[in-house]
Amino acid sequence: MPTRSLGPFTVSAIGLGCMNVSHAYGVPPEREAAEALLRQAFDEGVTHFDTAALYGFGKNEEVVGAALKPVRDKIILASKCGMTGVDGKRVIDGRPETLKATCDASLKRLQTEVIDLYTLHRWDKQVPIEDSVGALADLVRAGKIRAIGLSEVSSQTLRRAHAVHPIAAVQSEYSLWTRDPEPRLLATCAELGTAFVAFSPVGRGILAGGIAPQPQFAPGDIRLTMPRFAEPHLAANLAQAERFAALVRAWGYSPAQAALAWLLAKGPHILPIPGTAKPAHLTENNSAAAITLAAAQVAALDALYALETVQGPRYAPAVMAEIDPD
């Protein structure tokens, strides 16, 4: 597996978003299968594992911690705070005292003494970003975390945070069908030496050919709340995905491989973290690290998936209001 820089760390070019094994995509796999998938990822060269206190309301960290404890010194372990489950509900809370308490709980669940990259999952707009990042800086000084990240923030917020403490990574949704970080946020990250961690890099399955014309999502699947996966948008988005799949298969790649290879070609500071609960998909995703798309191929995909070709916002209005876009 090729490597890239993530703040002070060197990690696999493709990481693993661990959410799928316990959160947001319907019925999760059994605990034994989930842990086996995480160990398979390591065996295939993945060294960047991303979880969060929110996922499964703590259960995901427990699974990740148990599965990867034997190889803890060989991986970069990332988790997130500032958005957690409280009394069965998702709550955004960026107060310093909350972030510090969340970190202590995460350390126990992850069975580790330090979290390598600790990311503010959402900026709590009721709390100045300087205060939240200041609390994370305290955790660095206390030796509980090694580096600080932000998720779903604008370039302006990144600069404000970076003035308090160096920000090792920004995490946001980025893929062929979610081009929002271009060009401003990606350029700001490159300027500041901040890695960009791309979550949902295969479009929550649509760029991997995994969405049927009339998808039967399981109860609780996050895509049930997303306008892009419902009519009147879904049919147009599926037709676009079919054109994409036909193009890249003619090149000899699966859709998922091409989607990930495109991200890797967009900049050396970009780190995709595809998630999956299926071993075969994991191997397929990881194989994309060996693919180098030609400039003409990248340009063809840029043209095919220009921002205006995707229909529907990526979140419902209430969730869109929670993020901090450029």
Side-chain angles (χ1 to χ4, degrees):
M1 175 79 77
T3 59
R4 294 192 167 193
S5 295
L6 174 60
F9 314 115
T10 298
V11 298
S12 53
I14 293 178
L16 181 66
C18 301
M19 180 177 75
N20 297 53
V21 299
S22 57
H23 185 86
Y25 288 95
V27 180
E30 295 294 331
R31 173 75 176 256
E32 183 178 351
E35 291 189 16
L37 184 96
L38 294 167
R39 289 191 292 269
Q40 176 189 336
F42 175 77
D43 290 342
E44 292 184 3
V46 174
T47 58
H48 175 201
F49 292 85
D50 180 274
T51 181
L54 175 71
Y55 303 158
F57 292 0
K59 292 181 180 178
N60 195 256
E61 288 182 322
E62 293 176 356
V63 173
V64 171
L68 299 178
K69 186 175 181 179
V71 295
R72 176 65 186 92
D73 61 337
K74 298 178 176 66
I75 65 168
I76 297 304
L77 185 58
S79 192
K80 297 184 280 294
C81 60
M83 186 162 64
T84 56
V86 179
D87 297 328
K89 296 182 180 180
R90 182 175 63 87
V91 174
I92 296 175
D93 185 347
R95 293 174 296 172
E97 60 271 25
T98 300
L99 302 184
K100 292 177 180 180
T102 301
C103 180
D104 287 339
S106 291
L107 286 168
K108 292 180 182 178
R109 289 191 292 262
L110 290 166
Q111 301 185 50
T112 188
E113 295 181 354
V114 62
I115 297 169
D116 298 311
L117 174 66
Y118 204 43
T119 294
L120 187 66
H121 207 156
R122 289 291 186 275
W123 173 32
D124 180 354
K125 297 175 184 178
Q126 304 302 311
V127 179
I129 191 65
E130 291 83 358
D131 291 357
S132 295
V133 173
L136 299 181
D138 288 342
L139 292 173
V140 173
R141 287 187 284 270
K144 295 183 178 182
I145 68 175
R146 291 193 172 108
I148 296 173
L150 301 176
S151 181
E152 297 276 32
V153 297
S154 65
S155 298
Q156 180 182 12
T157 301
L158 170 58
R159 291 186 186 279
R160 287 173 55 191
H162 197 74
V164 176
H165 188 280
I167 302 300
V170 166
Q171 181 175 141
S172 191
E173 184 172 356
Y174 184 37
S175 69
L176 276 163
W177 87 326
T178 300
R179 306 282 293 272
D180 305 42
E182 298 176 1
R184 188 174 177 183
L185 183 56
L186 291 180
T188 302
C189 287
E191 173 193 337
L192 298 177
T194 298
F196 186 93
V197 177
F199 73 78
S200 297
V202 294
R204 305 181 190 274
I206 199 165
L207 296 175
I211 307 298
Q214 294 182 320
Q216 299 297 313
F217 295 128
D221 192 304
I222 194 173
R223 291 168 291 190
L224 288 168
T225 69
M226 295 179 169
R228 290 183 178 181
F229 290 96
E231 299 302 350
H233 308 302
L234 180 61
N237 291 333
L238 284 173
Q240 184 78 349
E242 289 174 3
R243 291 191 288 272
F244 162 67
L247 176 63
V248 301
R249 285 183 177 131
W251 298 341
Y253 306 131
S254 74
Q257 288 174 324
L260 292 166
W262 176 85
L263 276 171
L264 293 172
K266 298 302 285 187
H269 62 309
I270 296 172
L271 297 161
I273 51 167
T276 185
K278 298 181 179 179
H281 289 175
L282 176 66
T283 299
E284 180 184 0
N285 292 340
N286 290 338
S287 69
I291 297 171
T292 301
L293 294 178
Q297 292 173 315
V298 174
L301 296 179
D302 284 340
L304 179 66
Y305 263 109
L307 184 60
E308 63 271 13
T309 64
V310 178
Q311 294 194 16
R314 60 191 182 101
Y315 291 128
V319 180
M320 286 298 296
E322 296 173 350
I323 66 176
D324 174 39
D326 268 320

